[in-house]
Amino acid sequence: MILNNELLLRKIYASAFIGNKYQCPVCEKKTRKFIPVFENDLMCPHCGSLSRNRRLYHVLLKEFFLKDNLNVLDFSPSRCLYRKFKGITSIQYTANDFCGEFMADKHMDITNMNEPDNSFDLIICYHILEHIKNDIQAMSELFRVLKPGGTAIIQTPFKENDIYENNQITSREEQKIHFGQEDHLRIYSVKGLCQRLEQVYFKTEVRTYKDESQNYFGFSNNEHILFCKK
């Protein structure tokens, strides 16, 4: 019921944040402030976008969505981005969510996708791989369904130094303590994730966006995004 009325409820809620100090790139609405939420993140009161959603949309709009007929595969997108992407008529957008917890068009296992080889120009895999037991197989599948010359944009939570994982940690309580969330199976380092992606033949580029903690669009500071080419 709440989900069905989400847009109306957000409109009512956002009326308390009328102002022009900041602007959300996703919904394009201006606001007097973004709302502080968990882990020092900032949420848009109008559409519910988080910092990483806004950065992702900003990057896609400026670098990828200028092309027509782009075939895009997205994994478990936020509701604000799903609605936005579905409204872009120049791209062919498919959202996938295996567990049925997100708005999606398909329900495929990322480690065994029912898609032909070389199907997608762009793949968005944001905060997914840390949930996947066989992450190397998932990466192999991403590489398989991506077109030659295509790009997979990948992000996870990151830590310094090496990847931290332990197959003996299986309870949700322990996973939260060790990996930061009840359904996370590891914490990647940027270097470690690149190495795994390169094992399945991706060419990786790491972009780090810094010094934007108080900026107009509510981006996060020191954010890493991996651009992976086939």
Side-chain angles (χ1 to χ4, degrees):
M1 183 67 177
I2 293 176
L3 183 59
N4 293 337
N5 294 295
E6 179 189 2
L7 297 180
L8 175 60
L9 293 172
R10 286 200 180 280
K11 185 175 181 180
I12 295 170
Y13 179 68
S15 63
F17 296 87
I18 294 173
N20 296 302
K21 188 173 182 179
Y22 302 103
Q23 185 177 25
C24 173
V26 178
C27 65
E28 303 178 19
K29 298 287 181 60
K30 293 185 178 182
T31 182
R32 65 177 176 85
K33 64 179 292 187
F34 290 105
I35 303 166
V37 290
F38 54 88
E39 297 181 352
N40 299 314
D41 207 343
L42 296 171
M43 184 177 70
C44 171
H46 296 275
C47 69
S49 68
L50 299 176
S51 300
R52 68 176 184 253
N53 305 140
R54 294 189 289 274
R55 170 86 69 192
L56 173 62
Y57 182 72
H58 187 73
V59 169
L60 292 174
L61 198 64
K62 289 188 173 295
E63 297 189 37
F64 292 92
F65 288 173
L66 299 174
K67 301 177 183 178
D68 289 335
N69 300 316
L70 200 71
N71 201 1
V72 181
L73 176 63
D74 194 359
F75 288 88
S76 301
S78 65
R79 295 191 296 275
C80 63
L81 289 183
Y82 178 85
R83 294 182 181 112
K84 192 75 175 184
F85 294 157
K86 278 296 186 182
I88 301 175
T89 58
S90 60
I91 67 172
Q92 301 174 54
Y93 176 76
T94 301
N96 176 70
D97 178 56
F98 181 59
C99 296
E101 297 176 356
F102 293 78
M103 288 182 170
D105 309 296
K106 294 187 176 182
H107 302 283
M108 299 183 295
D109 181 350
I110 192 174
T111 65
N112 185 23
M113 287 187 278
N114 185 25
E115 294 287 349
D117 296 354
N118 308 319
S119 296
F120 297 97
D121 302 288
L122 175 67
I123 295 175
I124 304 166
C125 187
Y126 250 51
H127 294 254
I128 301 297
L129 293 174
E130 67 272 19
H131 298 266
I132 307 301
K133 185 175 182 179
N134 192 345
D135 62 335
I136 296 292
Q137 178 59 28
M139 295 173 197
S140 296
E141 277 289 272
L142 295 177
F143 187 84
R144 181 184 68 80
V145 301
L146 186 66
K147 291 181 182 179
T151 303
I153 301 180
I154 297 174
Q155 188 183 73
T156 71
F158 290 116
K159 63 181 285 294
E160 297 295 326
N161 302 316
D162 299 323
I163 296 172
Y164 175 47
E165 58 187 341
N166 185 337
N167 293 333
Q168 301 304 311
I169 299 171
T170 57
S171 74
R172 294 176 68 85
E173 293 79 10
E174 288 182 315
Q175 287 169 344
K176 183 174 183 179
I177 293 169
H178 286 266
F179 308 130
Q181 192 167 305
E182 293 92 340
D183 54 354
H184 285 190
L185 303 180
R186 67 188 64 82
I187 305 178
Y188 293 100
S189 65
V190 173
K191 180 180 178 181
L193 181 53
C194 286
Q195 288 174 339
R196 291 194 180 182
L197 288 161
E198 289 162 5
Q199 286 180 36
V200 302
Y201 306 110
F202 275 114
K203 297 177 182 178
T204 61
E205 175 194 356
V206 180
R207 299 188 196 175
T208 301
Y209 301 87
K210 295 184 177 181
D211 302 322
E212 296 179 302
S213 58
Q214 299 297 323
N215 63 76
Y216 181 66
F217 294 117
F219 296 143
S220 59
N221 187 34
N222 200 37
E223 182 176 7
H224 306 290
I225 303 176
L226 276 56
F227 293 78
C228 308
K229 302 286 291 188
K230 179 174 179 177

